[in-house]
Amino acid sequence: MTLLPGSHRQIVLVARPDGLPVPSNFAIRRVPIPTPSEGEMLVRTLYLSIDAGLRGRLVDASNYAASVPLGGVVRSLGIGEVLESRHEAFFPGQLLVTETGWQEYAAVGPGSTTRVIDTAIAPAPAFLGVLGISGITAHIGMMDLARVGVGETAVVSTAAGAVGSLAGQLAKAAGARTVGITGSAEKVKVCLDDYGYDACIDYRSTSDLSSALAEACPDGIDVYFDNVGAEQLDAVLASLAVGGRVVICGTMGIPPGVVPMGPRYERALLARRASVQGFIWGDHHHRNEEIVASLTERYRAGELRHRQHIVHGLEKAPVAFAELLAGQNLGKTIVSVD
Ligand SMILES: NC(=O)c1ccc[n+]([C@@H]2O[C@H](COP(=O)([O-])OP(=O)(O)OC[C@H]3O[C@@H](n4cnc5c(N)ncnc54)[C@H](OP(=O)(O)O)[C@@H]3O)[C@@H](O)[C@H]2O)c1
């Protein structure tokens, strides 16, 4: 990456991706440390959450969130230590989950994602994964929207990932039979051994995913927690049970640019009286405290297993992001800024 002149480090977008984002789309810039305005806090960024959803914010296209402008700091959740506060509810020394962006210091207001964290419960990075965006998203999709039930079959894609591994464990704890779809033999093993999936399919080494799913789900698929879309969704729809629920959480399998069309699915949905629902975790922030309390209870009881893929150095954020998009992570991708 190019090093632009300045004084605290930020990573900015310098070119819109042509295809999947690559490190040369970003540059490091040095600028003065910001001064918080009335109602804001100055935080020092400790950890960054690396999220697939950023892909949609780097392009100039219609999306659920505004695009990062060219030359703008890359937006991101992170964990920051409050150094100075001009807000009555926050104090120096507190650790916050907040919208830090890819930068070493940030002046932040108390946005809808801002939460004070307690490292007596778990180490700070867990609040970006199992007790943060990943756990909350898994809970909203699997429990609130799909309402998975006892004896049902739940299929999860990106099954070994940050969100997927938790969605699978929540479904299992709710009494479902769980089937994962993931991208390597190593990840299949982790899904079976660590996350308690009843079966798991390596989609990269399976020539016929529809048949593999039909075999793994002989009674049909009641719930599909979809992080991928594309051919994996097509294969799941072929085995959907009557009354099946599909929750669309992410679209890892849909390439940037022109989207190839798949089979039409209206008849499958009609015949199975099935529903498909997309969701964005940010629309459910009013549920955050309750969901995090529930996840924390399970986490403390040792009922939720999780892995973290921690990469060191702010300058590594673009590489960590590219690795996540290439499936080279195993668990929640986090950048430790210092
Ligand atoms: N709706 C929301 O509010 C919300 C919030 C947070 C996250 N999400 C979504 O949740 C999903 C998982 O996010 P995460 O942070 O937990 O990441 P993650 O699953 O830990 O990592 C991303 C994984 O995607 C898979 N992948 C990459 N390219 C793929 C491709 N072409 N086809 C199929 N799979 C591919 C890889 O796993 P394999 O090796 O198994 O293929 C990779 O490890 C993403 O789709 C993300 O956008 C949605």
Side-chain angles (χ1 to χ4, degrees):
M1 275 193 299
T2 331
L3 184 60
L4 304 175
S7 131
H8 96 106
R9 295 188 306 164
Q10 304 180 317
I11 297 184
V12 296
L13 180 69
V14 290
R16 298 215 178 273
D18 177 17
L20 282 177
V22 290
S24 59
N25 296 137
F26 306 94
I28 292 188
R29 169 169 81 190
R30 287 187 176 273
V31 293
I33 292 173
T35 306
S37 305
E38 190 60 39
E40 287 187 334
M41 294 80 75
L42 174 67
V43 300
R44 182 170 67 94
T45 310
L46 304 178
Y47 298 98
L48 295 173
S49 173
I50 304 297
D51 292 301
L54 175 62
R55 195 178 76 169
R57 293 181 173 206
L58 300 180
V59 292
D60 200 3
S62 156
N63 192 11
Y64 59 87
S67 297
V68 178
L70 282 177
V73 178
V74 179
R75 298 195 190 103
S76 169
L77 271 187
I79 291 178
E81 178 188 359
V82 179
L83 299 182
E84 185 186 336
S85 176
R86 299 191 63 194
H87 190 290
E88 59 186 12
F90 298 93
F91 309 99
Q94 285 178 322
L95 295 186
L96 306 180
V97 171
T98 190
E99 297 276 343
T100 56
W102 286 5
Q103 55 188 342
E104 289 172 318
Y105 293 84
V108 297
S112 57
T113 52
T114 305
R115 287 191 299 125
V116 178
I117 64 166
D118 179 358
T119 52
I121 294 172
F127 293 89
L128 296 176
V130 59
L131 303 180
I133 175 173
S134 315
I136 295 170
T137 301
H139 191 288
I140 292 166
M142 188 57 87
M143 308 310 294
D144 293 1
L145 302 179
R147 300 181 312 283
V148 69
V150 177
E152 291 195 312
T153 297
V155 172
V156 178
S157 51
T158 69
V163 173
S165 62
L166 294 163
Q169 290 178 83
L170 291 174
K172 183 83 185 165
R177 182 167 176 279
T178 54
V179 176
I181 307 175
T182 189
S184 71
E186 182 196 10
K187 289 184 179 181
V188 166
K189 187 166 168 28
V190 168
C191 283
L192 297 173
D193 295 350
D194 289 4
Y195 301 137
Y197 285 92
D198 294 288
C200 191
I201 300 165
D202 173 3
Y203 69 90
R204 289 187 203 271
S205 69
T206 305
S207 57
D208 183 354
L209 184 59
S210 297
S211 300
L213 275 168
E215 197 178 317
C217 310
D219 300 325
I221 296 166
D222 299 293
V223 167
Y224 178 40
F225 192 105
D226 183 8
N227 285 319
V228 170
E231 293 88 354
Q232 293 188 21
L233 175 58
D234 297 340
V236 165
L237 289 179
S239 286
L240 209 59
V242 170
R245 286 92 70 202
V246 176
V247 287
I248 298 192
C249 176
T251 56
M252 295 302 301
I254 298 187
V258 179
V259 178
M261 294 306 292
R264 300 216 63 104
Y265 49 76
E266 295 88 335
R267 292 293 310 169
L269 298 183
L270 173 72
R272 279 67 170 258
R273 284 78 104 193
S275 64
V276 179
Q277 180 172 8
F279 75 99
I280 300 297
W281 81 299
D283 294 339
H284 301 258
H285 280 328
H286 57 284
R287 299 266 295 119
N288 277 3
E289 291 309 320
E290 197 183 325
I291 293 173
V292 171
S294 160
L295 293 168
T296 301
E297 204 175 302
R298 289 170 188 268
Y299 173 83
R300 283 183 138 163
E303 292 168 10
L304 282 182
R305 303 191 71 168
H306 72 118
R307 284 175 180 242
Q308 295 170 150
H309 177 79
I310 297 191
V311 176
H312 293 271
L314 175 74
E315 68 286 356
K316 298 279 177 49
V319 172
F321 182 48
E323 285 177 357
L324 176 134
L325 297 178
Q328 288 162 357
N329 63 316
L330 183 48
K332 174 70 194 179
T333 303
I334 288 170
V335 167
S336 172
V337 171
D338 42 356

